[in-house]
Amino acid sequence: MSPTAADIERYRRNLRDEVDGAALYRYLAAAEKDPNLREVFLRLAESEDRHRALWEEKLREAGAEVPDYRPGFRVRFLGWLARRFGTASVSPIVTRMEMTAYTMYDDQPEAIAADLPRDERSHARLFRELARSTRGRAVDIDIARLEGRHRAGTGNALRAAVLGANDGLVSNLSLVMGVAGANPGQNVVILAGIAGLLAGSLSMALGEWISVRSSAEAFARQLEIERDELNLMPDEELEELVLIYRAKGLGEEEARATAQRIIANRETALDTLAREELGMSEEEAGNPWVAAITSFLTFSFGAIIPVIPWLFLAGIAGVAASAAASALGLFAVGAAITLYTGRGVLFSGARMLTFGLAASAITFGIGRLIGVSTGI
């Protein structure tokens, strides 16, 4: 079947993207001082040249003119930034570009036949590694990386707990104060506070469950792809590992020797490819139920603070006690955040206290206006 007009236009779009990709990698290679990374960029440029040749051939076969595309402004600007500030300055941007192109060829039969989807996945993984790696350090890479990830995992869990409590406290304090401003009575304020606690914590738990579950499913799918590629194309997987280790600073011989040792054992190779290419291991995919329950509990812990005083007090006394209890909670959360920011306890605590009370004052004022206007 002859290519349609839509096919020809698609070929042209693909060709334009590949011209930009090849040019970008050559700009990065020209700006890179590390010879190992420079070679990695040049190899990627050669890969994009092969892709470009495919789409030029498809256009000729379709009897269409092959456009003489030049690199776009965005690519030229990134090249200028790389020359001025180094390739590390643009690596996160290029990583996002590559992640966007991760599946660009998955539904194009001509690209699938030429194995282009695998190349795009490889490029995305490599740049994710480049953005994450510390350049120039080539000693005990895997051990250091694993140790760092264990520390990061613990820190992230604690950070999530602190921020979950903060979300519950600020949102429910604002809700309670907004209802209290209308002065509907103690029971209504308590009901609103409990409803806000349950609605927020259940929503957070469901969102966290879906997020972790989706990540685990996506990881399982990518792991299956890696397993197939390792069985069908071990030489290509070997070269990909070599590039990754070259990007980390290893020389050609050392990178190849390391990759060959890993590829020799299929299970070890799969685990390593998952960590090096996908950026995580099976254990790190997470348990969605643990994530959901933790999110529910931490949000609830923060959300119950402004409600507790209303169980014993009403009116202005309830408002004052709720504000005081919440102020202590806000300051404590702000102080806990200094574990990650490194700022002073007083500064962070006072900042969180100010923002939280300001939000509650606004909702209280709005509640007061609504209460007066409706005669509650």
Side-chain angles (χ1 to χ4, degrees):
M1 186 175 64
S2 300
T4 65
D7 289 330
I8 294 174
E9 181 59 29
R10 175 167 55 85
Y11 298 161
R12 291 192 178 115
R13 287 197 305 269
N14 292 340
L15 176 60
R16 185 184 298 109
D17 289 341
E18 298 299 348
V19 168
D20 280 346
L24 177 58
Y25 292 139
R26 288 194 166 88
Y27 288 148
L28 295 177
E32 181 55 57
K33 295 181 174 59
D34 186 323
N36 293 320
L37 280 179
R38 187 184 308 123
E39 183 176 344
V40 169
F41 292 140
L42 289 176
R43 288 191 185 182
L44 292 175
E46 292 171 359
S47 174
E48 298 294 76
D49 287 340
R50 291 194 297 272
H51 297 180
R52 180 180 65 184
L54 170 67
W55 301 120
E56 289 175 345
E57 179 184 355
K58 291 299 178 183
L59 285 169
R60 293 191 189 97
E61 291 175 353
E65 180 183 356
V66 178
D68 184 21
Y69 289 128
R70 292 290 181 268
F73 171 77
R74 184 185 189 188
V75 167
R76 297 198 305 273
F77 182 65
L78 288 174
W80 178 84
L81 288 176
R83 290 193 301 274
R84 280 295 184 90
F85 305 107
T87 58
S89 65
V90 300
S91 182
I93 300 174
V94 180
T95 300
R96 286 195 294 272
M97 292 169 62
E98 290 293 351
M99 293 306 296
T100 300
Y102 196 86
T103 59
M104 65 177 291
Y105 287 138
D106 284 3
D107 59 351
Q108 299 191 38
E110 306 91 345
I112 293 172
D115 206 23
L116 266 60
R118 183 192 178 282
D119 287 348
E120 293 301 328
R121 291 197 299 272
S122 176
H123 295 177
R125 295 165 189 155
L126 179 58
F127 265 93
R128 186 165 54 197
E129 177 60 40
L130 285 172
R132 185 173 55 231
S133 294
T134 300
R135 292 168 50 189
R137 187 170 67 184
V139 180
D140 293 333
I141 293 172
D142 290 325
I143 295 175
R145 177 112 164 260
L146 284 171
E147 289 177 347
R149 181 167 290 133
H150 286 314
R151 288 194 296 269
T154 303
N156 285 338
L158 183 58
R159 179 176 181 271
V162 171
L163 295 180
N166 175 69
D167 287 345
L169 176 53
V170 173
S171 63
N172 218 34
L173 173 62
S174 299
L175 173 63
V176 166
M177 287 302 179
V179 175
N183 195 25
Q186 180 183 16
N187 291 337
V188 175
V189 176
I190 294 173
L191 177 61
I194 297 298
L197 182 154
L198 291 174
S201 57
L202 288 172
S203 175
M204 291 286 289
L206 178 59
E208 195 68 17
W209 189 92
I210 292 174
S211 175
V212 174
R213 182 63 180 169
S214 298
S215 297
E217 290 172 350
F219 175 75
R221 171 57 181 158
Q222 291 302 318
L223 195 63
E224 191 62 32
I225 292 174
E226 284 300 325
R227 182 178 286 106
D228 292 341
E229 291 178 349
L230 184 60
N231 290 330
L232 297 174
M233 299 175 289
D235 292 340
E236 286 81 354
E237 292 296 296
L238 172 65
E239 291 302 320
E240 190 166 332
L241 274 178
V242 171
L243 282 179
I244 287 175
Y245 287 127
R246 291 295 304 275
K248 290 184 174 189
L250 292 177
E252 172 70 28
E253 292 184 4
E254 190 176 2
R256 187 165 296 279
T258 302
Q260 286 173 340
R261 285 197 303 271
I262 291 170
I263 290 292
N265 184 301
R266 281 291 187 266
E267 289 306 314
T268 301
L270 185 61
D271 179 69
T272 302
L273 286 166
R275 284 190 286 107
E276 299 295 353
E277 297 184 4
L278 305 180
M280 64 188 299
S281 65
E282 191 170 4
E283 293 79 11
E284 291 168 336
N287 186 312
W289 291 108
V290 171
I293 292 171
T294 301
S295 181
F296 180 92
L297 293 176
T298 56
F299 187 95
S300 299
F301 176 79
I304 197 63
I305 293 175
V307 179
I308 291 175
W310 286 95
L311 299 175
F312 310 101
L313 301 170
I316 296 301
V319 171
S322 180
S326 298
L328 291 174
L330 288 166
F331 188 89
V333 169
I337 290 176
T338 62
L339 294 172
Y340 317 104
T341 64
R343 301 299 296 267
V345 171
L346 289 177
F347 173 83
S348 295
R351 179 174 61 182
M352 187 64 68
L353 175 63
T354 300
F355 289 158
L357 291 184
S360 65
I362 292 172
T363 58
F364 181 86
I366 293 173
R368 176 68 70 185
L369 290 175
I370 293 175
V372 171
S373 63
T374 57
I376 294 178

